[in-house]
Amino acid sequence: MTACEYIKYFYFVQLSEISSLLKLRNLRGFLLFMYIYVPFYVKIIKESGENISNIDNYTKRGVFYMNNKRKPHILAIILMFIWGISYLSIKVVVDEVNPIQAAFYRFFLASIILFIILKRKFPEEKLIKEDKIKVALSGLTGVALYFLFENYSVYFTSASNVAVLISSIPIFTLITQRILFKEKLTIYKVAGTILSMVGIVIIIISKGKLSLFSTGTKGDLMALGAALCWVIYTIITTSFKGNYKSITITTYQSIWGSIFLFPSVIFLKVTIPSTKAIINILYLSLICSCIAYALYIYCLESLGATSITTYINLQPIISLLSAKLFLNEKIMFIQVVGSLIIILGVSIVSFTGKFSLNKCDEVV
């Protein structure tokens, strides 16, 4: 198969759609174009050595298509890289700014940017009455409470520890689905849950003496609280009645999260962050909140709650490596063991019974 045929087979979209992406008709489309379509297209052309006019013939008919079943999986991987590194930025920020205020600055800025984009590009987008309360609740659980717990957990313990414990989200998802929706538990799911719980215990006691009042233990428990908040957020978000664009949900959730976090600037002492902290706040706000949240909503709609949480397995690996490289955090052998046990347990829960050989072809 030639390079052109390969592109044609996997990447086919109307030229008018490419034009709309370039005109920024939607944020998600632009991100797809810039970070997935273009690099892939350029790589194939370079490797093929074919005449550019031949490629252009396919372009006129439409290229840059990614199979709809593959697209959300690739975006989910990109999302986990963004969020995996975010723990490092949070660590830098909360060393200077109160953790709750850091969350408020992050989402207040994100809310302004997202609202402007939403009203300029999709002024007709509105929430239906049945979903307004749900959006407020998802803003409370997935923004305000989640980042209250996460920021404080990063403040009290290591960024790598938090990332590993947050990766237990699929376990909490399974337990919640069992309690609320009576989901059947197989022997593999039970085994995966037990393994993950063992890994969590190892991570918590890895610092030596265990005390519920020690800062490290408080940080670890807050990380688990953040994971539970995210499970509730995911359940609420998947129950919306209306059909919305990703940016619509992300915008209103960020606004509600900012509202719930606002009292922190009234009742807590406000500090002026350094340039380094401001840069990290901008990364957290623009990349992790604006872009990554939109990607998450898209992946959640495309893959479902259980599948998207599977990709959270990548976060601890990325965070462990980046925390060692950039923050010079000490990574102990027992932490690595606990991390691997959690990842193994989550993998068993997430993948067992989900894929046949044919379905695996859709994921790879």
Side-chain angles (χ1 to χ4, degrees), residues 85-106:
I85 298 174
S86 71
Y87 296 100
L88 280 67
S89 289
I90 293 174
K91 189 70 172 178
V92 172
V93 174
V94 298
D95 281 344
E96 299 184 22
V97 181
N98 181 281
I100 305 178
Q101 291 177 342
F104 171 74
Y105 296 149
R106 170 178 179 173

Side-chain angles (χ1 to χ4, degrees), residues 13-31 33 37 121-122:
V13 89
Q14 295 300 322
L15 191 59
S16 60
E17 183 176 342
I18 297 177
S19 176
S20 70
L21 298 181
L22 290 173
K23 292 177 182 176
L24 290 178
R25 258 172 53 183
N26 63 76
L27 177 64
R28 187 179 69 205
F30 175 71
L31 292 172
F33 183 82
Y37 298 135
K121 302 300 177 182
F122 310 104

Side-chain angles (χ1 to χ4, degrees), residues 53-259:
S53 62
N54 293 333
I55 300 291
D56 189 56
N57 291 332
Y58 286 99
T59 304
K60 291 177 181 178
R61 297 176 60 185
V63 285
F64 297 123
Y65 169 76
M66 181 175 289
N67 187 296
N68 287 333
K69 293 180 179 179
R70 297 169 184 265
K71 185 190 304 180
H73 289 283
I74 294 178
L75 290 179
I77 294 173
I78 295 174
L79 175 63
M80 292 309 127
F81 270 92
I82 293 173
W83 279 346
I85 298 174
S86 71
Y87 296 100
L88 280 67
S89 289
I90 293 174
K91 189 70 172 178
V92 172
V93 174
V94 298
D95 281 344
E96 299 184 22
V97 181
N98 181 281
I100 305 178
Q101 291 177 342
F104 171 74
Y105 296 149
R106 170 178 179 173
F107 284 95
F108 179 69
L109 178 59
S111 298
I112 295 173
I113 297 171
L114 289 169
F115 188 76
I116 292 173
I117 295 175
L118 176 65
K119 292 304 176 183
R120 289 194 62 181
K121 302 300 177 182
F122 310 104
E124 73 287 351
E125 279 279 287
K126 297 184 183 298
L127 297 174
I128 64 175
K129 185 177 180 181
E130 293 89 337
D131 289 336
K132 289 183 178 180
I133 295 179
K134 291 180 180 179
V135 170
L137 290 174
S138 62
L140 174 64
T141 56
V143 177
L145 291 178
Y146 176 85
F147 284 97
L148 183 151
F149 280 117
E150 184 180 276
N151 286 7
Y152 267 111
S153 66
V154 174
Y155 178 75
F156 286 128
T157 188
S158 65
S160 54
N161 252 31
V162 175
V164 171
L165 293 172
I166 292 293
S167 70
S168 64
I169 285 177
I171 302 301
F172 289 101
T173 301
L174 175 65
I175 295 172
T176 304
Q177 288 178 334
R178 171 61 181 173
I179 295 173
L180 297 181
F181 308 114
K182 307 301 179 184
E183 180 175 316
K184 183 179 179 181
L185 295 181
T186 65
I187 185 63
Y188 296 105
K189 289 182 177 180
V190 173
T193 300
I194 294 174
L195 271 177
S196 293
M197 291 301 177
V198 170
I200 289 172
V201 171
I202 290 175
I203 291 294
I204 292 176
I205 66 175
S206 64
K207 292 176 288 297
K209 185 178 179 181
L210 178 63
S211 172
L212 293 176
F213 301 102
S214 68
T215 55
T217 303
K218 283 194 293 187
D220 292 341
L221 294 177
M222 285 186 172
L224 295 177
L228 183 59
C229 286
W230 193 261
V231 172
I232 298 172
Y233 161 78
T234 300
I235 293 173
I236 295 172
T237 301
T238 53
S239 67
F240 292 149
K241 298 292 184 183
N243 185 21
Y244 308 107
K245 290 180 171 58
S246 300
I247 192 173
T248 304
I249 301 173
T250 306
T251 299
Y252 288 110
Q253 287 175 340
S254 297
I255 291 173
W256 276 109
S258 300
I259 292 173

Side-chain angles (χ1 to χ4, degrees), residues 6 10 67 69-71 73-74 77 311 351 355-364:
Y6 190 80
F10 288 104
N67 187 296
K69 293 180 179 179
R70 297 169 184 265
K71 185 190 304 180
H73 289 283
I74 294 178
I77 294 173
Y311 286 99
F351 285 109
F355 303 108
S356 64
L357 290 177
N358 291 333
K359 289 183 180 179
C360 282
D361 293 336
E362 297 176 359
V363 179
V364 176

